[in-house]
Amino acid sequence: MKLGAFSISLSVKDIHKSKAFYENLGFSVFAGDLAKNYLIMKNETSLIGLFQGMFENNIITFNPGWDSGAQKVEDFDDVRSIQKALKAKGLSLETEVDETTSGPGSFVVVDPDGNSILLDQHV
């Protein structure tokens, strides 16, 4: 199963303080909009999303169809195929992607410890 680019999405209290903190760790702004309270920061192939006021808990994120530079990869497992495979293994999903569609889509599965895992396909 090819899950794509990996990142962690952090729910932060003060995006300016968090931005400065992660810059001290060698991260730089890769994408996002500070005025809209979200940034994607990158250090080599490591990605961290900073989100203020958008969700309660931290989220593990995979992006099928993208590499760590948010560039499209040709050979990837579509989010709908991944969803079908997980459901066939008996996993229940918090949200689902419409399997009759194509292109961008997402779903959420929660691990046994309550961690949300977002599979978010942009291509």
Side-chain angles (χ1 to χ4, degrees):
M1 190 174 301
K2 297 177 184 179
L3 300 179
F6 170 81
S7 63
I8 185 89
S9 299
L10 302 176
S11 176
V12 301
K13 294 176 185 170
D14 183 324
I15 196 162
H16 298 281
K17 286 182 181 178
S18 294
K19 176 182 179 284
F21 176 84
Y22 284 100
E23 285 173 336
N24 285 329
L25 290 178
F27 284 82
S28 60
V29 174
F30 177 68
D33 187 341
L34 193 57
K36 293 183 179 176
N37 289 327
Y38 81 97
L39 294 173
I40 309 301
M41 301 192 72
K42 186 171 183 175
N43 180 330
E44 296 184 4
T45 60
S46 298
L47 294 168
I48 296 175
L50 305 177
F51 298 87
Q52 182 179 325
M54 294 186 180
F55 48 84
E56 248 181 82
N57 299 313
N58 299 331
I59 302 171
I60 298 166
T61 305
F62 294 98
N63 300 110
W66 273 4
D67 66 14
S68 64
Q71 298 298 307
K72 183 179 179 182
V73 295
E74 292 303 317
D75 185 28
F76 69 96
D77 292 344
D78 185 86
V79 69
R80 291 151 199 85
S81 297
I82 297 169
Q83 176 176 284
K84 285 179 188 175
L86 295 179
K87 287 169 70 175
K89 292 179 181 186
L91 276 75
S92 62
L93 306 178
E94 288 287 308
T95 64
E96 294 188 23
V97 62
D98 181 349
E99 293 180 2
T100 66
T101 63
S102 62
S106 64
F107 71 87
V108 174
V109 62
V110 177
D111 78 7
D113 295 302
N115 299 301
S116 294
I117 301 169
L118 170 67
L119 280 98
D120 191 17
Q121 181 175 308
H122 296 278
V123 295

